[in-house]
Amino acid sequence: MGVDLDLALVRAFAVTAETLHFGRAAEHLNTSQQALSKRIARLETVLAVRLFEREGGTRLTEAGERFLPAAREALAAGERAVTAVTGTGPAVRIDTWGHLYAPMRTVAQAVQALGTVRLEPGPGRDWPSVAAALLRGDTDLGFGRVHPLPGGRDAGLTQRLVRLEPVDAVVSTSHPLARAHELRPADLRDSTLWCPAELTRLDFLRRFATQFQITRRQDGPNLGLDHLVQHIRADTSCFTLFPADAPLSDHSGLRSIPLVEPTPLYAWSLAWRESHRHPFLDTLLRCFTETGRTRRWLDYTPERDWLPDTDHAKLTVS
């Protein structure tokens, strides 16, 4: 005879396993610590195993480690069952940044298989602000380019690389290099890199400029894509970098030229708080993995492509 699992008990276990702290888990579940302990005890009785060690701090037993992935799947299945009869899906809050590069076009391609799961996109100012929102629990996921933050401000967060996108050089049709079919990054050394925000906030552009000795740099406030296009069109000495597949609002007066030898790649990642994994996180990750495999989003050849040093470690994790 099988064991009938109460999903309320399973959820209590999963949240406690994520936080490894009964007080924080109880707060997250809007219950008392005593009530949470009773739920865990009931689940351990049903399963006839101990799921947590409580001496010297809370940690999972071997049985708890084995049970956790299945528990998450059970909760996700429960959400899908409710969706099937109510017609409304659960919400996943996702904050994106790097808005000039249109991050939602990548998210939209990956989540087509999610069915009735609702995404609630939020506009993040930049990676530091989204990291802070994740740590506060104000959002479930972040999507954009992740890089190390000073002072350990990203401690407690984890990320998964999901796309490496080639970037082009965008110049005015009056730029001296505008007729080239392709360019090497070194060819741009006599041009001025236009940065659509303070360069200190644009980790990718800053590292590109340093790597390829682009000494002429100009930055300004981020006033949107139209402002960026107008500036490049009007200043024949400037160029900027733009993802090869991202749409430019107005191509007139502009050339988008592929970069080669090497081709710079912009790394898109999903980020989340390790202690608060959304029930549909694993499903989302599978969607990104399957879409990325089909569209070859993670193609990388060291002899052909360039990534900032801070992005190399992501390749081994993904």
Side-chain angles (χ1 to χ4, degrees), residues 7-31 36 39-40 52 58 60 68 71-72 75 273-277 279:
L7 288 184
L9 305 184
V10 176
R11 183 170 290 104
F13 162 77
V15 173
T16 307
E18 289 163 0
T19 62
L20 292 178
H21 190 285
F22 276 75
R24 287 195 293 269
E27 182 179 352
H28 179 84
L29 292 167
N30 196 27
T31 189
L36 174 62
R39 291 181 193 177
I40 298 297
F52 292 99
T58 302
L60 288 168
L68 182 56
R72 288 172 175 155
L75 292 172
R273 180 161 52 110
E274 185 57 44
S275 63
H276 181 64
R277 294 173 62 94

Side-chain angles (χ1 to χ4, degrees), residues 194 196 220-232:
W194 169 249
N222 184 352
L223 299 179
L225 186 55
D226 288 343
H227 177 262
L228 171 70
V229 167
Q230 291 169 15
H231 186 97
I232 296 299

Side-chain angles (χ1 to χ4, degrees), residues 7 17 83 88 90 114 119 140 142 209 211 220 223 246 259 271 284 289:
L7 288 184
T83 297
T88 60
L114 282 180
L119 283 184
D140 300 312
Q211 175 70 29
L223 299 179
L259 292 173
L284 276 165
T289 298

Side-chain angles (χ1 to χ4, degrees), residues 164-169 182-186 204 208 211-212 241-244 257-267 299-308 312:
L164 294 171
E165 185 170 14
V167 297
D168 293 345
E182 58 187 26
L183 292 169
R184 297 174 301 159
F204 179 79
F208 172 87
Q211 175 70 29
F212 297 106
L241 300 184
F242 210 74
I257 306 172
L259 292 173
V260 298
E261 298 180 12
T263 297
L265 301 178
Y266 192 86
D299 279 10
Y300 171 71
T301 302
E303 296 77 16
R304 179 194 65 195
D305 305 319
W306 174 79
L307 279 172
H312 284 167

